[in-house]
Amino acid sequence: MFSRKFLLIVMMLFGVLATSAQTKKLTGKVTGVDNSPLPGVTIQVAGTKVATVTSGDGTFTLNIPAGVKPVLQLSSIGYEPLQYTAASDNVTIVLKEAVKSLTDVVVIGYGTAKRKDLTGAISSVPIANTDKSPVFGTSQLLQGQVSGVQVTQTNAQPGASFSVRVRGTNSITAGSDPLYVIDGYAGADFSTINPSDIASIDVLKDVSATAIYGSRGANGVVIITTKQGSAGRNTVSVDFYRGMQEVSRMLKMMDATQFGNYLNTVMAYQGKPPVYTQAGLDTLGKGTNWLDEIIRTAPITNANVSLSGGSEGTRYFLGASYFDQEGIIINSGYKRGTVRFNLTRDISKKVRVGINSSLSYNTQGLAAINSNGGSVGGTLLDAMRISPIGPVYNPDGSYTFVGANADLLSQIGNPVANAMLNTDKQKEIRTFANIFGEWQIIEGLKLRSTLGGEYRSTREDIFHPTTTYWGAQDKGLASIENRIAYNYLTEHTLTYDKTINKNNALTVLAGYTYQRWRSEGSTNTINNLTTNKYGTSNMSVGTAVPVRVSPAENAIESYLGRINYRLMDKYLFTVSMRADGTSKFGPNKKWGYYPSGAFAWRVSDEAFLKNVKQISDLKARVSYGTVGNQSIDPYLSLQQYTTNSYILSQGRVVGTSANNLGNADLGWESTSAFDFGFDLGLWNNRLTLTADYYNKQTSDLLFSRAIPSTSGFTTVMANIGKVENVGYELGINGVIIETPKFNWTSSFNIATNRNRIKSLGGQDNIPQGNVSSSVFPGGQNSGILKVGESIGSFYGYQFGGIWQSDDQIKASGTKQTVKPGDPIYVDQNGDGVLSADKDRVIIGHALPKFTYGFTTNLKYGPWALSIFLQGVQGQDILNVSRIEMENGAVFSNKFAYVATDSWHGEGTSNTLPAIGSGLRRSSNVTSDIVEDGSFLRIKTVTLSYQLPLPKITRDVFKSASIYATVQNLYTFTNYSGFDPEVNTYANSFGNYTSLNIDYNPYPNIRTYLVGVKFGF
């Protein structure tokens, strides 16, 4: 018995020894260059299936098979891949952060490509930089980060959209926004996407890159790829920040005493007795600062959590976020909740399926601010022009109805009451799903099919009770607007990728796409309310206004193809073609055809540069092609009809009448573009530079052409005119210092664009641009479209100073009815009369001369500092607010400086007219309200600290950091308004020529944030 037990023990010992002899243990730690541990790094033993992932403190353990040379392959997102030969059983491995590499994969239209193989002008947004600074919307990720892309937040209302222009403005009345492609879905809605869910953003700028999208790529393409999971890396990420917002700049209005003196000055100018005696003035004090009453310091909160990972063959990403931004104007704000789920599954070695999906819900409390320049004004405008003498509340605590009751004062509703009691609430739900399948038919040949759709449902409730000034105008108003919009897209592409031999490689793409959109809307409105009790919950307590219904539908069908050919890996050719057919155009012009070609030469691979060690990369690129534009409302090519009702023989008769003139030949707006650029890398790409020159010619503009009124209409949508955009772009990225403890990287980009109208269909000029009818009565325009000038040219009278004396007026020979203290407007033709058709000239340009951005990142040990500067130079702004607040209605409040800086006698001022002068307001647009809107903004400053939790907790935290951020810290500008990044008019059809007009939209904000990020 003993011998049998002894034999068994001996056999077990030999088994253990044998097993130990087959493997050996390798331990180690992976860190960054600053010695901080790197969790989640994938490590695989080359030539084997042995692999692991580093723990929270960066450590790992591997069992190396006996006889295998321990060569480790390390990879981690954001770091350069590394192949490491272990010289001992315990190693420390250092990974470098990835600088833009030639092996980086860039997302292009219907595929991907290595950066070194690109033939077009494609820029990638440095997500690593933007991830250091919280953003409120996806468009902010583009702001100042890519040369040739101008992003403007013209309206800071929470939840408002941005204006994005890639290489200038192509169109006049059609849209100039880029196409957004999210996870392969063209035309996807990006406004509610959670910025934290984004993995990469690539901007396609030249025709070679965008032509594969045909008519949809005329204004550039922004490709957004959301995060996916990684096999073997199950992670949980949490990001939370909380902050406060304030107005970035407050304007100073007259207080009550100043306004009382102002009223006395107005009465004296009119030859009337003063309103207040000195004793009366002494009792006024400061009065009510209405701007302080409606503008507040407001909180902002954001929380993100995500789970990602997977196993062999399956990868997933699940993210959820909550965003809550209260507005700096009382009773305004925006809340958004999003959920994203992405899943990819390898059914077999040749078949892969997946889904990218999201669900979002948002609510928005809209402040009644000026978003269309109308005469109503809005809460902000009313707070500026209302008398400071009136109080906010009555003695009983109720709101005053208007600011003051004196008969001579302008009757303006109490702005606080209007903001708090008049409500405009919007609720919206959006869903998105894109299902795809990929089948590798044979090696190199892949079929990809997708089917996806978007759905959006919106309800907007507006209520104005009879107790407010605005509501009293309609005797109370309640309105409910319901809108739904949906679209679906199916795409099928076949890709053949073949490396023929070491000198020849070919990629061929062919595809078919079909997309259809439909929207429906109805508005139910009542006024003359019998009670304010129900708000919009009972629409039977007033007089019904006829219901408006607005359905619309359109579709596009496309065929596409592209060939990429690589010769000796240094001569690169791209040819593409797309055919688009749309329902928007007439039967004679439904199809458009868009070819392009590009060539790139990797000069650095030539023998004559091989020994130049300083040059690590040099590539020259040239491209030419054509793309189209169909960004107009549907049905404009068709004769449309509208219903009319009238009383006939004591009965109501309803009929229809034509609403427009159809055009069967309405067709594509086309842009032909040439691009030449080069990419340069120096000193192993420590310094990289990209430069481009482009020339875009847009013809057959979609434009409302004037026609004789005898036709029954005054305009018809047609294809007329040409526009040119010529520009230069430069982007520089550099690793300035790289040591184990200290890193310093910076990037700079600058772009200039010259926009010029070349033709207007036989006309020399056409007045364009909206302005407020309350400031400029009579349907006047802010600008002009003129051959040889740019879109957004302001047009009006040139300011020449202030008339100082009767002798000056007499000596001038003017026939105008003016007096000392009135403004001088230049009589251009010298006939002594100021006339709109002879004396107006171009007085400014809304489009900037150049834009630029600068980012610098410094890291010392666990500390990191990121600074982002954004600049715009050479843009002009039409500051309509100055007419309202300097020379508006004489009994409305004014800017504080008006009391002291206005002309009040010969030699006192040559810039600001006399108080009470009405000539400025009645003279149309003038150059004295056109201001230089150039600015340099300290956009974002973020200081972060890496917490030592991964080291302390071991295997609990993979990463942990805290950060503090200031956004819009300071703006260097000479502009006198709230902010130079401004436009009263929304970026929408009918407003595309109404640029840089300031009539008190929602003011820009400064934000202070503190946040934490954790990885598990």
Side-chain angles (χ1 to χ4, degrees), residues 301-323:
T301 304
N302 186 74
N304 297 304
V305 61
S306 65
L307 297 85
S308 64
S311 57
E312 185 176 355
T314 302
R315 292 161 297 281
Y316 70 91
F317 175 86
L318 176 63
S321 71
Y322 174 75
F323 178 71

Side-chain angles (χ1 to χ4, degrees), residues 121 167 206 621-624 673-677 692-695:
R167 291 187 167 181
D206 75 327
R621 299 174 279 101
V622 62
S623 68
Y624 182 80
F674 169 82
D675 182 277
F676 173 75
D692 280 271
Y693 161 81
Y694 63 86
N695 186 312

Side-chain angles (χ1 to χ4, degrees), residues 743-765:
N743 279 358
W744 181 12
T745 63
S746 290
S747 63
F748 174 76
N749 68 81
I750 187 170
T752 179
N753 180 79
R754 182 174 180 266
N755 176 276
R756 185 166 65 99
I757 299 171
K758 299 182 68 175
S759 170
L760 289 171
Q763 301 181 74
D764 178 68
N765 62 80

Side-chain angles (χ1 to χ4, degrees), residues 286-306:
K286 294 293 185 181
T288 302
N289 187 325
W290 290 96
L291 282 179
D292 282 349
E293 294 291 338
I294 69 160
I295 294 179
R296 62 183 175 180
T297 299
I300 183 171
T301 304
N302 186 74
N304 297 304
V305 61
S306 65

